[in-house]
Amino acid sequence: MGFRATAQLLFLLSFFASGIHLNLSATDPGDAAELQSLKSHWQNTPPSWDQTDDPCGAPWVGVTCTNSRITSLSLPSMSLAGNLSDRIGGLTELRSLDLSFNPNVTGSLTPRLGDLKNLKILILAGCGFSGSIPDELGNLAELSFLALNSNILSGRIPASLGKLSKLYWLDLAENQLTGTIPISKNSSPGLDQLLNAKHFHFNRNQLSGFIPRELFSSDMMLIHVLFDGNRLEGGIPSTLGLVKTLEVLRLNRNAFSGEVPKNLNNLTNLNELNLANNKLRGPLPDLTKMDSLSYVDLSNNSFDSSESSDWFSTLPSLTTLVIENGPLQGTLTPKVFSFPNIQQVLLRNNAFNGTFDLDDSFSPQLQLVDLQNNQISAVTLSADYKNKLILVGNPVCTGLPNVSFCQP
């Protein structure tokens, strides 16, 4: 064989070998390029990312592929550092993106997240993202789970999130979000349109203004509504009472005023109610129908002075009752201490008086009864409960300074 023929044969062998190598690559070339670019913006990626250029073939830790396309990127708690570049928008078959609890992943949220039209799960909780939430997230029509909590995000909640009709989990808690709650108006979307949502987590932000009554309706499926730790004011919307699926309602640490809507008593599936640290007034809310209620906190409001409410003796699931700095007076009904699951009763700084009776008929689950700074003048109790009771600041302790329940 001549030199020319030999050279041609070697060229052909090299060509076909190259072709075979390309065909063996398990990752779509476009996806591989986009992920390599993302990688260049990150530090501390998994070691497997440095061992091959084929994310689907090796595979790379945290990368899931379907038919050569990258469909999931899951890197929670990996100590990643860097930022999320615009190139994320090129992974167009991505169904799930989870970079949660990498606090050194910082910078802004790129609007190109809105290009991931197949995305169903977006979890960026516990990172260091700052700036505003892109309006483009409203383009993610398939999204069912959105968790942006525990970042440093600021600005308003985008009204465009109301277009996410398949969303069931919305968590924007523990950021620095400001402004009011967006609701739909004319052709503009709003959060009231999220009829499939089960979780509204907006707690620990800087949201202000009223909660619009239009935000809630009987068509909703919400089980968690968390607005605690904001700057919200005005009345509690009575439309909350229409959401019969509700299980947890936290409105504490705001500036809500007015009376608690009577129809909240219709929330028979509710197991946690926290209205503490507001400016609520009027009578204590009627909770007699809430058979599932296990945790109640109505502390630090301006409710009308009253005797122990009827619902004190009608909540068989109750584990914790907290009404500190409250309006309660008269004799404390003993029934609350006999509920089978009751663990804590915290009623300091009220005006209970007379004799406090805590005998052997009370729940063995009971851990703490705090009645500091009331007007209780006598006490009857079993020895078993002496270390579970605090009566400091009551007249009964004037002549019993050395008894355990009278010591600070």
Side-chain angles (χ1 to χ4, degrees):
M1 182 180 295
F3 174 79
R4 183 183 297 274
T6 301
Q8 288 175 340
L9 180 59
L10 290 174
F11 173 79
L12 289 172
L13 288 172
S14 175
F15 175 80
F16 285 117
S18 176
I20 291 171
H21 173 74
L22 290 174
N23 289 335
L24 288 176
S25 178
T27 310
D28 175 84
D31 282 4
E34 299 293 1
L35 192 53
Q36 286 284 3
S37 179
L38 286 171
K39 177 190 170 188
S40 70
H41 290 82
W42 290 339
Q43 300 172 6
N44 304 327
T45 51
S48 62
W49 287 37
D50 296 320
Q51 295 171 1
T52 174
D53 293 331
D54 188 5
C56 298
W60 287 10
V61 167
V63 176
T64 302
C65 302
T66 303
N67 297 326
S68 82
R69 300 301 305 274
I70 296 174
T71 55
S72 175
L73 192 57
S74 181
L75 298 167
S77 304
M78 289 280 190
S79 300
L80 292 179
N83 58 66
L84 184 60
S85 80
D86 293 346
R87 299 294 291 273
I88 188 67
L91 296 176
T92 54
E93 288 298 315
L94 211 58
R95 266 70 168 172
S96 176
L97 174 60
D98 182 358
L99 302 179
S100 58
F101 302 104
N102 289 291
N104 293 316
V105 175
T106 60
S108 60
L109 293 177
T110 171
R112 288 210 62 199
L113 285 167
D115 294 341
L116 303 176
K117 300 300 174 57
N118 294 301
L119 201 65
K120 296 181 178 181
I121 298 172
L122 179 58
I123 308 177
L124 302 177
C127 295
F129 290 113
S130 58
S132 60
I133 299 173
D135 288 333
E136 289 79 0
L137 293 189
N139 298 332
L140 303 177
E142 298 298 316
L143 200 66
S144 62
F145 195 106
L146 177 58
L148 302 178
N149 51 296
S150 305
N151 281 281
I152 321 171
L153 297 168
S154 57
R156 292 176 172 266
I157 299 172
S160 62
L161 298 185
K163 296 189 294 182
L164 304 177
S165 61
K166 296 183 179 181
L167 199 67
Y168 83 88
W169 185 289
L170 176 57
D171 194 342
L172 305 180
E174 298 182 15
N175 281 287
Q176 298 175 8
L177 299 174
T178 56
T180 56
I181 312 298
I183 57 169
S184 61
K185 185 177 182 181
N186 299 325
S187 60
S188 298
L191 301 187
D192 55 301
Q193 296 173 308
L194 300 178
L195 300 183
N196 290 312
K198 293 189 176 183
H199 293 262
F200 270 6
H201 297 185
F202 303 103
N203 46 310
R204 301 184 185 182
N205 278 285
Q206 299 171 21
L207 300 173
S208 59
F210 298 178
I211 295 183
R213 65 184 311 277
E214 297 86 355
L215 180 61
F216 303 108
S217 71
S218 59
D219 296 325
M220 301 188 101
M221 302 171 61
L222 289 165
I223 59 174
H224 285 187
V225 171
L226 314 182
F227 280 105
D228 52 290
N230 280 282
R231 300 173 181 176
L232 297 164
E233 56 187 354
I236 296 173
S238 61
T239 48
L240 264 171
L242 302 175
V243 189
K244 301 297 179 60
T245 51
L246 206 57
E247 296 178 6
V248 176
L249 177 59
R250 297 179 191 163
L251 302 178
N252 50 302
R253 294 185 295 115
N254 281 284
F256 290 113
S257 57
E259 296 187 8
V260 177
K262 291 181 172 59
N263 68 341
L264 289 194
N265 195 25
N266 296 329
L267 300 177
T268 54
N269 291 309
L270 203 67
N271 57 55
E272 180 180 335
L273 175 64
N274 197 333
L275 304 179
N277 299 292
N278 281 288
K279 300 178 181 179
L280 298 168
R281 54 180 177 77
L284 278 173
D286 181 7
L287 311 179
T288 51
K289 297 180 182 178
M290 296 184 180
D291 291 343
S292 300
L293 202 59
S294 64
Y295 181 97
V296 180
D297 192 344
L298 304 177
S299 302
N300 299 304
N301 281 286
S302 300
F303 293 118
D304 296 342
S305 296
S306 66
E307 306 283 327
S308 299
S309 294
D310 291 339
W311 56 261
F312 272 34
S313 57
T314 61
L315 300 177
S317 301
L318 198 64
T319 64
T320 303
L321 173 63
V322 190
I323 309 179
E324 298 182 337
N325 300 301
L328 298 170
Q329 58 187 17
T331 303
L332 178 57
T333 176
K335 182 64 182 293
V336 67
F337 301 102
S338 63
F339 292 143
N341 300 311
I342 193 69
Q343 297 175 14
Q344 297 189 74
V345 179
L346 311 180
L347 301 173
R348 66 168 63 188
N349 298 321
N350 281 276
F352 287 114
N353 55 32
T355 299
F356 175 62
D357 189 3
L358 190 64
D359 60 27
D360 291 332
S361 65
F362 298 104
S363 170
Q365 303 296 322
L366 196 61
Q367 299 172 3
L368 178 62
V369 178
D370 186 351
L371 295 173
Q372 293 183 67
N373 302 320
N374 279 272
Q375 299 299 319
I376 294 169
S377 56
V379 60
T380 302
L381 75 162
S382 165
D384 293 340
Y385 290 98
K386 284 185 178 180
N387 295 326
K388 300 178 181 180
L389 176 64
I390 304 176
L391 286 174
V392 176
N394 284 271
V396 67
C397 288
T398 302
L400 301 170
N402 297 321
V403 176
S404 60
F405 55 72
C406 288
Q407 294 181 354

